[in-house]
Amino acid sequence: MDPGVVSARLASSAVAPLVKKLFVSAGAGAGLVDRPVRVSSLVSFSGEKRTLTGRDLVKIATELLRRALGPVSAHERPIAAAEEEPVALALAHTLYRLGELEMDDVQAVQLGAPTLVRALKEAGPDVTRDLSADAAQLHDTLLDNACLHILHFFTQRSTFVARTLVRQSGQLADVIAKTDLLLARTPAPFSKDALFEERYAAHIVNKHGMLTIYGIDLSRSPDQWPLDTAYLSLEADLAHETRQAPIRAEHAFHGRDRVLLRGVAGSGKTTLVQWLAVTAAQQDINVIGSGDSALVPLIRRVPFVLPMRTLTRQHADLPTPEEFLSRTRCPLAAAQPPGWADRVLAAGRGLILVDGTDEAPANVRERARRWLQDLLSTYPGNLWLVTSRPSAVRDRWLAAEQFTELSLAPMRQHDVTSFIHRWHNAARSVSAEEERHLLDAYEVSLNLAVRTKHDLARLATNPLMCGLICALHCDRRGYLPSGRKELYEAALSMLLTRRDLERDMAPPDGIELTEEPKIRLLQRLAYKFILNGKAELDRSHAERIIEQTLPGVPVAAAQGDAFAIFQHLLLRSGLLREPAVGSIDFIHRTFQDYLGAKAAVEEGDMSLLVLRATETQWEDVIRMAVAHARPGECAEFLMDLVRRGDSATSSYRRSQLHLLATAAVEHATELAPRVRAAINERAGALIPPRNLAQANDLAGIGTVALELLPGPDGLTDDEALFTAHTAVLIGGDAAIPVLARYQAHPTPQVRQLLCTAWHRFDAVSYAESVLSGLVGTGVYLEVTGAEELAVLGRMSSPRQVRVAAGFTSSDLVRELRADRLTHLWLPGDQSVTWYWLAAFPRLESLTLGPAEEPIDVSSLAAHPTLRLLRLPQHQLIAGRDSLGDGVIVSRFPHDGEFGHD
């Protein structure tokens, strides 16, 4: 292959950051020195200043190779795919010789890149012995390019004796500049692709690298916060796997490449999409690769963020790959090289993020599924994430396409506490000194309120609601509304009126509207969004709606025309935004649904709501309509839902309508007993749940369902399991007494579910009420956090414990009960040696989970009582023959399979 072609692909912007990682950085304030420095003392992968491991060095070499090969199809690649890893390993071994060189940095620069290359190859002459001729030549070309940048890096260090080497430094800079110029001018597709991908990655980071934290409206407060600061890692449950432990949502692609993610409004679906896109675009292989191995699949990926609301706004068809950027209004669409998106996807380098399937019209969703099928069959090997509200698409909607279904779990107490802390930290960062002291006090009092007030805890289940609660608590000096309707009313008051009034801000556009006319205009706009089945409208359409509404709102009509009033609402309401030129949407769907429901009730469209009740996009509108309706209207509306459910010919429709009526009841301020009884009777036919789908449906109702969940008496084993699972999904303090009824259930799967669910609840309350009754039941108690481990040390019951990653051996020795523990389940890489297990003399069995490296179990032979060791079969490598006659090595169960002796 032509070495010049490889070099042309390696712009300085691509190579320099990788080379920089090979060396330690100069200390702060370092200046020129009067003597050279040995090269071996500068490397970051050996010696006292070591910050990189050998594995990190391999990752750098792999990334350098990846950037050299570029985004070309398999038949255009200069070496076979099977040879890429050996080339990267050989390059890593050669670069490792930098730590053995006797020459100093001045000598290296004076002698030049060819001499440095020769010295490294002489130090490791056999690294390319087993490579093909093409692969060896590729190794040498990569090494030549790396050495050129290494020497240039030396000349840029503040401690380099630059005054004696001006000429050499200038020559190196000139060679690198010419390489960059060659790359910019060459007509080859790979070079244009690489240049464009750098621009596109910067665009993704810039566009999606900020999050809106709703309601922070203190003085000098920005509207957005950096994603890496504001992002909160949440959990996701694997659908159809009742005994599988939850995973972190950002680990969706760990072990899977096609994911359908469900989540309620405000649960963080779009935020996760942003985080995945930005993480892939940044391509920091040290952060992704070494920081969290579950994120490795994101390396080398090109993200495509495809909001369904935008894709379907003006077009009946869905885009081809070449149209991805233009249809999402990416400003770089016209600059993409012809065929670029096809080359990316054909090479299996794409990260396709289809966000908000529920925001597409119902008649488009099946077409979207066929669109996905075509893309999947044409472009295998990419990563695919599709998000949706829970009931917008049917169960196993993409199962035939091998999608794994995940559901974002409600925030648990630890998540809520973390969110509250991050929110107040963000507010403190832009506040005056006196405000910071107030914010400290607000944070403490809000944490206490969320823990002790049941109604408030029910609301704080997703990032959106937590953000509103934090904002309102601060805005109202510690006062909080109790119900969802009151919460939204208070949030609207804060966003629409009080923010500007309390800042003493004069209207910048000369328009002054009070809260009521703003709400009238916005609710009419929201209702039109809903009636049109859209989450996004053309700006001209939105202005026409305001124009039609203005005659009924004279105080607004007197201050300007439709354009001026709409512009005022867009800029000052805090509820509307223009994500792309000419496109308007609400900042969040929940505000749209709340205001649209208010308009529907005021316009007397309750019958229309009943007709639309089976359409998933209307579910929250119907619930909020119950909150807005007067008692008589509310009763008749709910009975109409019940009657329509009774007359449904489909059992699915019947259950859907009855559950919707049950879910809506909790929003009714006043309701006739006969109506409540009729609804409860229908709900009783659906309880207890008999499968996972029914459990998920019931959990969607919320805490109302907890009152209807029965105890274990008279239930089959499956009914008991799914009833307990429903209570776990609903969560909150109110679920604890329900789960306590199942602590002595004879089925191990039910008791194991109680042990696995501990992390979703307050650690102390759950341990006292539920776990204390599980003495001697033969199931593993799962510990995932420091608070749980601390509580565990005070419990007398647990004999069998499963511990998550993140704890040190000292933590476990200190907290676990040595006089009780008989069975322990640990991550495979918990320890290098296992001598510390001698602290548990009664330990009978040890289960080790999978590990990246082979596990050395030879030290277990010294344990006096250990009789059972479970390991992944493929990892029975080290120490197998030294375990002793009394120790049995057996198959490791699948994750989620809880066995006991």
Side-chain angles (χ1 to χ4, degrees):
M1 66 177 295
D2 182 1
V5 172
V6 172
S7 296
R9 289 173 178 165
L10 292 171
S12 60
S13 60
V15 183
L18 298 176
V19 166
K20 187 176 181 180
K21 296 177 186 294
L22 300 175
F23 300 96
V24 296
S25 57
L32 294 177
V33 296
D34 57 2
R35 58 187 176 83
V37 181
R38 285 183 57 178
V39 171
S40 57
S41 69
L42 297 176
V43 296
S44 58
F45 44 82
S46 66
E48 296 180 358
K49 299 180 180 179
R50 175 178 175 179
T51 59
L52 289 184
T53 65
R55 186 181 302 173
D56 295 329
L57 190 58
V58 172
K59 289 175 182 174
I60 291 175
T62 301
E63 180 64 10
L64 189 63
L65 173 64
R66 195 271 297 180
R67 297 184 182 187
L69 294 177
V72 296
S73 58
H75 70 275
E76 297 175 302
R77 301 181 85 79
I79 60 173
E83 289 188 292
E84 292 180 14
E85 183 176 359
V87 169
L89 289 173
L91 181 61
H93 281 296
T94 304
L95 292 174
Y96 188 78
R97 303 301 176 186
L98 286 165
E100 302 172 0
L101 293 182
E102 295 295 328
M103 69 174 66
D104 56 50
D105 56 348
V106 173
Q107 290 173 331
V109 174
Q110 286 177 329
L111 294 172
T115 302
L116 179 59
V117 170
R118 188 164 53 251
L120 291 175
K121 292 175 70 173
E122 290 173 353
D126 297 328
V127 295
T128 59
R129 181 180 56 190
D130 297 325
L131 299 180
S132 68
D134 283 344
Q137 185 178 9
L138 177 59
H139 165 275
D140 292 349
T141 302
L142 292 172
L143 183 60
D144 290 344
N145 198 283
C147 286
L148 179 67
H149 284 82
I150 286 170
L151 298 185
H152 189 242
F153 170 77
F154 287 164
T155 68
Q156 302 301 305
R157 298 181 76 248
S158 61
T159 54
F160 188 73
V161 192
R163 60 181 178 269
T164 64
L165 296 169
V166 174
R167 182 178 178 185
Q168 291 92 332
S169 301
Q171 289 173 340
L172 284 169
D174 185 57
V175 171
I176 290 174
K178 288 179 179 178
T179 300
D180 287 347
L181 183 61
L182 170 65
L183 180 60
R185 290 179 175 176
T186 180
F190 61 77
S191 58
K192 291 182 179 179
D193 286 358
L195 279 176
F196 177 75
E197 284 181 23
E198 287 191 21
R199 292 184 65 197
Y200 178 66
H203 164 73
I204 290 291
V205 172
N206 182 60
K207 179 176 180 179
H208 298 291
M210 302 293 286
L211 281 182
T212 298
I213 301 185
Y214 300 101
I216 295 185
D217 59 354
L218 303 175
S219 57
R220 301 178 302 284
S221 173
D223 294 329
Q224 294 181 312
W225 302 88
L227 180 66
D228 55 357
T229 299
Y231 178 72
L232 177 67
S233 175
L234 297 177
E235 289 184 341
D237 293 310
L238 280 161
H240 319 298
E241 296 287 345
T242 58
R243 288 169 287 174
Q244 186 86 342
I247 65 170
R248 306 313 300 181
E250 62 270 22
H251 294 174
F253 292 117
H254 185 46
R256 55 190 75 85
D257 57 9
R258 300 178 182 182
V259 176
L260 171 61
L261 179 72
R262 301 177 189 264
V264 300
S267 59
K269 301 185 295 297
T270 299
T271 301
L272 176 63
V273 165
Q274 289 182 240
W275 191 90
L276 291 171
V278 169
T279 301
Q282 287 175 330
Q283 286 293 288
D284 189 331
I285 62 172
N286 272 332
V287 172
I288 296 177
S290 353
D292 192 337
S293 61
L295 300 178
V296 168
L298 298 179
I299 295 176
R300 301 174 59 178
R301 300 290 176 176
V302 177
F304 296 94
V305 181
L306 306 174
M308 284 297 291
R309 64 164 69 182
T310 303
L311 299 183
T312 58
R313 188 172 67 91
Q314 289 183 321
H315 300 80
D317 61 325
L318 289 159
T320 64
E322 291 306 305
E323 298 172 317
F324 281 175
L325 300 194
S326 61
R327 290 282 289 274
T328 54
R329 302 184 190 84
C330 174
L332 298 178
Q336 65 176 324
W340 167 73
D342 173 74
R343 288 190 291 275
V344 169
L345 297 183
R349 297 197 302 120
L351 170 63
I352 299 90
L353 305 165
V354 182
D355 188 31
T357 306
D358 55 285
E359 296 182 340
N363 61 350
V364 175
R365 293 177 202 156
E366 188 57 31
R367 194 157 70 244
R369 190 171 72 87
R370 293 194 297 270
W371 170 68
L372 284 169
Q373 288 173 331
D374 289 344
L375 290 173
L376 289 161
S377 62
T378 307
Y379 301 107
N382 296 284
L383 298 184
W384 303 79
L385 176 73
V386 179
T387 74
S388 174
R389 286 196 185 184
S391 55
V393 294
R394 66 179 183 275
D395 193 37
R396 300 181 185 274
W397 187 57
L398 292 172
E401 287 71 42
Q402 307 301 313
F403 272 71
T404 301
E405 291 197 12
L406 300 178
S407 296
L408 281 172
M411 291 171 67
R412 54 193 177 108
Q413 183 59 56
H414 172 76
D415 297 322
V416 174
T417 302
S418 177
F419 185 97
I420 291 172
H421 180 66
R422 287 174 183 233
W423 190 96
H424 286 83
N425 260 353
R428 277 189 285 263
S429 69
V430 294
S431 301
E433 185 66 31
E434 61 274 11
E435 289 177 323
R436 292 193 198 117
H437 292 303
L438 287 173
L439 286 163
D440 292 342
Y442 291 155
E443 180 179 348
V444 173
S445 64
L446 183 56
N447 271 313
L448 179 63
V450 170
R451 284 180 176 272
T452 57
K453 294 182 179 180
H454 174 61
D455 287 343
L456 190 59
R458 288 172 54 196
L459 292 171
T461 58
N462 63 58
L464 172 68
M465 300 305 288
C466 281
L468 290 178
I469 288 169
C470 289
L472 288 167
H473 184 261
C474 177
D475 182 69
R476 297 191 165 201
R477 308 301 186 194
Y479 165 76
L480 279 171
S482 58
R484 187 176 175 187
K485 179 174 181 287
E486 291 78 10
L487 180 67
Y488 279 111
E489 286 176 345
L492 288 171
S493 175
M494 178 184 67
L495 293 171
L496 296 177
T497 306
R498 296 184 61 202
R499 175 172 56 179
D500 287 351
L501 288 178
E502 293 179 8
R503 286 176 172 179
D504 196 24
M505 180 181 288
D509 51 13
I511 296 175
E512 273 192 89
L513 294 177
T514 60
E515 182 177 331
E516 183 58 30
K518 287 181 182 178
I519 288 179
R520 296 282 297 178
L521 294 165
L522 287 165
Q523 72 186 38
R524 182 65 185 169
L525 191 61
Y527 194 34
K528 285 293 186 180
F529 270 70
I530 296 166
L531 287 172
N532 281 286
K534 300 282 189 180
E536 192 172 276
L537 288 178
D538 288 338
R539 177 173 180 140
S540 59
H541 190 180
E543 288 177 2
R544 286 198 303 272
I545 295 170
I546 296 298
E547 184 178 19
Q548 294 163 5
T549 311
L550 272 180
V553 190
V555 68
Q559 298 191 53
D561 59 13
F563 174 83
I565 296 299
F566 177 79
Q567 185 73 4
H568 175 78
L569 293 174
L570 178 63
L571 296 179
R572 302 307 311 156
S573 72
L575 294 177
L576 297 176
R577 64 178 179 177
E578 191 171 13
V581 177
S583 177
I584 301 298
D585 66 1
F586 277 82
I587 197 166
H588 203 279
R589 268 282 293 279
T590 52
F591 287 116
Q592 176 183 308
D593 292 345
Y594 175 87
L595 290 167
K598 191 173 188 296
V601 171
E602 291 181 2
E603 295 183 22
D605 285 351
M606 306 299 280
S607 296
L608 174 62
L609 296 182
V610 174
L611 289 175
R612 297 294 187 97
T614 57
E615 299 177 29
T616 54
Q617 285 179 299
W618 288 73
E619 287 182 0
D620 274 357
V621 179
I622 288 169
R623 295 178 185 181
M624 287 293 93
V626 171
H628 288 298
R630 292 168 296 188
E633 291 175 320
C634 179
E636 187 60 29
F637 175 56
L638 289 171
M639 285 306 301
D640 284 346
L641 285 177
V642 170
R643 285 189 284 266
R644 189 180 175 201
D646 292 342
S647 62
T649 56
S650 160
S651 61
Y652 171 78
R653 290 291 186 221
R654 185 164 53 253
S655 299
Q656 181 186 21
L657 289 161
H658 288 164
L659 287 172
L660 181 57
T662 307
V665 164
E666 68 171 316
H667 300 292
T669 305
E670 179 183 339
L671 190 63
R674 64 175 180 82
V675 178
R676 192 179 297 275
I679 293 173
N680 287 346
E681 179 185 352
R682 271 68 172 184
L686 305 172
I687 297 173
R690 295 159 185 85
N691 53 52
L692 184 60
Q694 290 183 358
N696 288 332
D697 287 343
L698 285 172
I701 297 173
T703 53
V704 171
L706 288 174
E707 301 173 6
L708 304 174
L709 293 179
D713 296 340
L715 301 183
T716 66
D717 289 349
D718 280 347
E719 288 173 345
L721 178 63
F722 291 121
T723 300
H725 184 67
T726 301
V728 168
L729 290 178
I730 295 171
D733 291 342
I736 293 177
V738 177
L739 293 170
R741 303 174 199 160
Y742 290 82
Q743 59 189 193
H745 198 279
T747 303
Q749 287 88 344
V750 174
R751 300 194 308 274
Q752 187 60 64
L753 175 64
L754 301 184
C755 293
T756 307
W758 188 10
H759 68 281
R760 293 176 176 267
F761 299 88
D762 177 75
V764 176
S765 300
Y766 193 83
E768 292 175 350
S769 301
V770 179
L771 300 180
S772 61
L774 290 170
V775 178
T777 56
V779 292
Y780 279 85
L781 185 61
E782 288 208 357
V783 179
T784 62
E787 186 178 13
E788 294 158 17
L789 186 62
V791 173
L792 189 67
R794 303 195 295 269
M795 295 173 62
S796 61
S797 58
R799 296 175 181 272
Q800 301 186 204
V801 177
R802 181 176 183 178
V803 180
F807 298 104
T808 66
S809 304
S810 299
D811 294 334
L812 302 183
V813 170
R814 182 177 64 253
E815 299 293 354
L816 295 178
R817 289 287 300 270
D819 61 330
R820 302 284 296 176
L821 189 67
T822 58
H823 300 72
L824 184 60
W825 189 327
L826 296 172
D829 50 7
Q830 170 71 44
S831 300
V832 177
T833 63
W834 304 96
Y835 295 106
W836 60 274
L837 289 174
F840 304 101
R842 300 189 62 186
L843 190 64
E844 300 172 10
S845 73
L846 175 66
T847 302
L848 296 179
E852 292 185 4
E853 302 290 340
I855 303 172
D856 185 349
V857 296
S858 58
S859 56
L860 290 170
H863 198 284
T865 61
L866 194 61
R867 282 292 179 269
L868 177 63
L869 174 67
R870 293 174 179 160
L871 283 169
Q873 202 165 21
H874 67 279
Q875 289 183 323
L876 299 183
I877 300 172
R880 184 173 185 177
D881 298 330
S882 61
L883 290 178
D885 296 335
V887 178
I888 302 170
V889 177
S890 69
R891 180 186 66 85
F892 183 79
H894 296 295
D895 194 17
E897 176 183 334
F898 295 88
H900 60 278
D901 295 339

